[in-house]
Amino acid sequence: MFNVGDKVKFNACPFDEQIADQAMLYAFLKTGVFTVTEIQRVFDEGSSSQWIKTDHTPDWIDSNWFNKAE
C-alpha cells in the first residue's frame, strides 16, 4: 500500500500498448520516478484495493502497476 508523498515507478505498462499514443506515453514514463499525489480505496473484484494518481499520471491507476522507488 502506498501513501501520499511516496516515490514510485512503473513495474509494467498499465496502458494499451496497441494504441500508438499510449505506447509512446509508456516509453516516455517507464523509467521515471513519480510522487503519489492522491489515493483512492477501491473494492472492485480483481483490484488491488488501492488506486493512485501521481504527479505525472493524472488518471487513476491501480497500484499493482507500481513499485516503490529506491
Side-chain angles (χ1 to χ4, degrees):
M1 297 299 249
F2 298 112
N3 298 302
V4 170
D6 283 352
K7 301 291 185 189
V8 296
K9 60 184 177 179
F10 283 120
N11 61 26
C13 180
F15 309 114
D16 185 345
E17 291 183 284
Q18 301 302 313
I19 299 173
D21 289 349
Q22 290 188 23
M24 289 186 341
L25 177 62
Y26 179 64
F28 178 74
L29 295 175
K30 70 181 177 182
T31 59
V33 174
F34 318 114
T35 303
V36 176
T37 58
E38 294 182 59
I39 296 172
Q40 180 180 35
R41 296 287 296 171
V42 178
F43 299 98
D44 296 341
E45 186 175 330
S47 170
S48 69
S49 77
Q50 184 184 52
W51 289 5
I52 64 175
K53 287 185 182 182
T54 75
D55 55 345
H56 287 86
T57 57
D59 296 323
W60 291 107
I61 300 176
D62 193 312
S63 65
N64 278 334
W65 294 103
F66 296 92
N67 287 329
K68 281 197 175 183
E70 297 177 11

